[in-house]
Amino acid sequence: MTLIRLPIAAAGAGMGVTAYMHYKVSEATKDMVPDWMKKSFENANKYFESLDFNGSVQEAQGQISNTVEKILENKKKPGKQPESVTIVKDEEEKKYDIPVIHQAKIDDNHLMGLTRKLIEIRNLLKSVDTSTSALTLPSIVVVGSQSSGKSSVLEAIVGHEFLPKGANMVTRRPIELTLIHTPDADKEYSEFPQLQLGKITSFEKVQKTLTDLNLAVSDEECVSHSPIELKIYSPYVPDLTMVDLPGFIQVSTKNQPRALKQKIIDLCEKYIAEPNVILAVSAADVDLANSEDFPLSLGYIGVVNKPGTGKSAAMIRSENAFFKKNPEYDPSQVGSTTLRRRLMEVLESHMGRSLHHIADAVETELDDARYQFKVLYNDLRITPESYVAECMDALKHKFKDFTKQFDKPSVRENIRVMLERRMIDIISDLYWKDDRIAVLPKDCTNEENGLWDARVSQASAQLTRSGVGKASVQLIVDSIGSKLDEITSVEPWSFHESARKQVIQHATDLLRSKFHVTVAQVENTIKPYKFEVDATELEWKDGQRRTVETLQNQLNESQQKLQGIKANIGRRKLRHAIKYVNYLDDALKSNPNLEVPDAPFPAPVLAQARQAIHSQAEISILHQRIAAVKSRQCSSLQNKACCPEVFLSVVSEKLASTAVMFIYIELLNDFFYQLPREIDSKMYYSLGKEEILKFCKENPGIEQHLKVQERKNTLELVASKLREINRK
């Protein structure tokens, strides 16, 4: 395992203690401490001796002695030690009044070329679905104890305060930070790819967002492995990928779970595994032996992070001024600028080492992706946009087919059938319950013509004044809604419930906007039929034919209903139940005060027996009326009073023909034209990229197709970039 650790030894009051550390180290080994640190120890020791620490020097020397012995023990251990760079920072440094200067733009093009390309490749590989870790390029993982200064170091690198702050444990999720150097940009901005918040130019908003995302992890859970992705674009930052982790703790507080320490360790171990690079941050006033750091091998870089100076840019300027006033420090071993350069060098070095291995792994994964795409989808390429367009086109084609089928004759037929059902109800009330119906039409004598003439006029008025306009328009609206529901209930629309509802809602809105106007228009146009209906002999003949069909359909329904009752309770049982019901009705008719004994049948059986009696009576009258309508007397328009069923059928046809004409004019023509355009405008052209992608992912087959295709495309792009890098 290769781990990197950068120590930052800060100057100041604490350097006297560090001087003693220098003495102990130089006694044991000459090659572990660079010249700059030796000089700084000597100068800091003089400054330290001039201060009055009331005997604390001996205590500090004892702690440092233990630290040095621990370091030397690690140095003597056999085997390869993890590479690491440790940052040691001193927050007790004196404050200096430093003039504010403008932050300089990064100008390390010779270092950033390969790093930028490899970071781009790393980000591409993060999106590849793979079970192997071979496709992982290294990141710099920042570790350290809680309150050791990790945040200050990261903010010094970025040049802004942007990380969560708080008294309690605030960093509860890994923050995967990608710094993108934009040399030609005038503005800095940040992005949270997972949240789709767009470009954020305020680092205060970045800080608040990070705080909210971290504090969303409950106190009971405390630590989550779910990372927060943050990208910062700036001309002032180097190209780096870094991960900020929760700080190590020794003892959990009262409100924290006992397992928190181990949770943090587990999370950190997940990130410090190969091929990542470790940046260990240690405060200068803390004994390294008491830290959670790994053994050091890449040396130290000293930085000064002053508390309370405001923006991190100010800290960097103050730090530079301090080291400038103290020339004994080796400029190549101190300062945040040095740290940034060193991190770039280390990251590029480790990425470069991984290059050949990554290239081989990418080619292997690419071969597998191409094979899957060929076998599963026959190399058929699709895009989210093309899938959405195909869905919309399929819907519009089906709707167009429906409009062709839903022509005037079919609409008229639907309305006429509805009216003829109403006709049956009216005839049943006015004629079939009257015992004198048996004389029609054979004995429709002149003396009785007045009765039947009045009766047929009454029946016609009930039909024409029964709200034909609203009923017919509602029938058409319901038919359209039912058809659209049917069209969108099959693939691919069956996967898109929300879009289905939108289609039906758009259709409903269009129909509703014309509904009342159409109803009023239909009612106005059928008004003459409410007073008088004239018919030709041809219309009468057609009415006679349709009446026979209508009555026959009603007869079939009644017979099926009766057969269902018989099958349900049995013929014999039904016969006895009917006999009992008839007996009971006759007894109650003759003696209404008769005390009814307990029935020999359950109530549901008696209820079905009564339904059977009604069906039998209806079947009998229907047989009679079918024969009457077919008779010679009902073949002539002159006998309309004696053949009310035929006359009402003629009226129904006239009402349906008139209604459909104005329903088409006022409602359907405009609806058939507008709905496809509404679907295009509000459900296709107005969709953003994320909405289109969301739509596609609702279909599991398309989501998988796009996933396999995107994996192949990404690997092809990565392979191409890697080949280009290798050629150079």
Side-chain angles (χ1 to χ4, degrees), residues 255-490:
N255 296 327
Q256 294 173 337
R258 294 182 179 179
L260 177 59
K261 180 179 179 180
Q262 188 59 45
K263 283 185 176 183
I264 295 175
I265 292 174
D266 294 342
L267 176 59
C268 291
E269 287 183 350
K270 172 185 173 182
Y271 276 91
I272 63 175
E274 283 279 14
N276 286 340
V277 175
I278 294 179
L279 173 62
V281 180
S282 298
D285 58 353
V286 175
D287 191 343
L288 288 178
N290 295 326
S291 75
E292 297 286 345
D293 299 337
F294 288 85
L296 315 178
S297 62
L298 292 184
Y300 299 80
I301 291 180
V303 299
V304 177
N305 290 328
K306 300 176 185 295
T309 56
K311 291 187 176 180
S312 296
M315 285 193 268
I316 295 175
R317 292 192 291 270
S318 177
E319 176 193 56
N320 290 340
F322 170 77
F323 287 124
K324 202 170 186 179
K325 288 182 177 180
N326 296 273
E328 65 271 16
Y329 298 114
D330 183 351
S332 65
Q333 297 291 330
V334 295
S336 299
T337 303
T338 301
L339 172 62
R340 293 203 290 191
R341 185 187 300 274
R342 181 62 174 143
L343 291 176
M344 292 162 61
E345 292 171 348
V346 169
L347 185 61
E348 182 171 294
S349 172
H350 277 67
M351 284 185 169
R353 277 186 239 165
S354 306
L355 198 58
H356 183 72
H357 176 69
I358 286 288
D360 290 343
V362 167
E363 292 294 341
T364 300
E365 290 285 329
L366 179 56
D367 289 341
D368 177 66
R370 285 171 171 167
Y371 175 78
Q372 285 189 24
F373 194 60
K374 177 70 175 178
V375 171
L376 296 176
Y377 306 109
N378 197 28
D379 288 334
L380 175 63
R381 294 178 177 272
I382 64 171
T383 65
E385 291 77 11
S386 68
Y387 172 69
V388 175
E390 288 175 5
C391 287
M392 299 300 172
D393 288 343
L395 176 63
K396 288 185 289 185
H397 281 306
K398 290 182 179 180
F399 182 71
K400 185 176 181 180
D401 292 340
F402 163 65
T403 61
K404 291 179 179 178
Q405 298 169 4
F406 207 63
D407 55 6
K408 287 183 180 180
S410 63
V411 174
R412 181 173 60 249
E413 178 68 15
N414 289 340
I415 296 175
R416 185 182 59 77
V417 169
M418 177 197 72
L419 293 174
E420 287 183 342
R421 288 188 176 276
R422 289 191 174 190
M423 174 197 78
I424 293 294
D425 294 337
I426 293 171
I427 290 292
S428 176
D429 289 338
L430 295 181
Y431 287 89
W432 295 352
K433 294 179 181 179
D434 191 332
D435 293 338
R436 291 172 292 181
I437 187 66
V439 304
L440 297 179
K442 291 182 179 180
D443 295 330
C444 189
T445 61
N446 291 332
E447 290 79 8
E448 295 178 332
N449 271 347
L451 169 65
W452 300 118
D453 283 341
R455 187 71 61 85
V456 79
S457 296
Q458 182 183 0
S460 177
Q462 285 191 18
L463 182 59
T464 56
R465 298 176 185 181
S466 62
V468 174
K470 184 175 181 179
S472 59
V473 175
Q474 188 65 56
L475 174 68
I476 301 309
V477 168
D478 292 344
S479 298
I480 292 174
S482 177
K483 188 62 180 181
L484 285 175
D485 187 68
E486 177 187 330
I487 290 173
T488 57
S489 294
V490 297

Side-chain angles (χ1 to χ4, degrees), residues 15-231:
M15 293 301 293
V17 179
T18 312
Y20 182 76
M21 178 178 175
H22 160 64
Y23 168 75
K24 297 295 291 185
V25 172
S26 61
E27 287 287 319
T29 177
K30 299 295 186 181
D31 61 348
M32 287 193 64
V33 182
D35 291 340
W36 70 271
M37 188 173 285
K38 296 176 183 178
K39 294 179 181 179
S40 67
F41 289 161
E42 293 172 359
N43 293 329
N45 191 46
K46 294 177 182 179
Y47 177 71
F48 179 80
E49 290 174 352
S50 68
L51 301 176
D52 183 10
F53 280 92
N54 298 323
S56 61
V57 174
Q58 290 76 11
E59 297 177 4
Q61 288 176 339
Q63 292 180 352
I64 296 301
S65 178
N66 293 334
T67 301
V68 173
E69 290 173 4
K70 181 119 182 157
I71 293 175
L72 295 179
E73 288 177 5
N74 288 332
K75 182 71 177 178
K76 296 175 183 177
K77 287 182 180 178
K80 183 179 179 181
Q81 296 294 331
E83 294 184 42
S84 59
V85 181
T86 300
I87 299 174
V88 181
K89 84 167 190 74
D90 185 0
E91 292 191 347
E92 299 301 324
E93 180 57 59
K94 291 175 62 179
K95 297 182 181 179
Y96 293 87
D97 294 327
I98 305 296
V100 178
I101 58 175
H102 292 290
Q103 185 178 4
K105 292 187 177 181
I106 300 293
D107 187 17
D108 291 304
N109 293 328
H110 63 288
L111 291 175
M112 292 188 289
L114 177 60
T115 303
R116 179 179 300 174
K117 292 177 181 178
L118 292 176
I119 288 175
E120 182 182 355
I121 289 173
R122 176 187 177 275
N123 290 334
L124 288 171
L125 290 175
K126 282 179 64 177
S127 66
V128 175
D129 183 19
T130 179
S131 58
T132 177
S133 60
L135 296 184
T136 304
L137 278 167
S139 296
I140 294 174
V141 179
V142 185
V143 299
S145 299
Q146 191 169 331
S147 302
S148 63
K150 294 191 293 85
S151 297
S152 298
V153 172
L154 282 171
E155 289 174 346
I157 294 172
V158 174
H160 290 278
E161 291 185 359
F162 69 97
L163 291 170
K165 301 289 195 304
N168 200 357
M169 180 177 172
V170 182
T171 304
R172 304 183 179 190
R173 296 171 59 182
I175 301 175
E176 296 184 355
L177 175 64
T178 302
L179 305 182
I180 299 99
H181 179 62
T182 54
D184 299 326
D186 295 328
K187 294 182 179 180
E188 302 172 278
Y189 65 91
S190 305
E191 291 179 342
F192 288 91
Q194 300 157 312
L195 305 182
Q196 299 298 321
L197 298 177
K199 296 180 179 180
I200 302 174
T201 57
S202 168
F203 281 89
E204 291 181 357
K205 184 175 181 181
V206 172
Q207 187 177 53
K208 184 179 186 308
T209 303
L210 287 173
T211 302
D212 292 342
L213 291 172
N214 276 282
L215 294 182
V217 180
S218 66
D219 291 339
E220 293 76 17
E221 186 180 4
C222 265
V223 172
S224 169
H225 284 242
S226 175
I228 302 170
E229 294 184 22
L230 172 62
K231 294 183 178 181

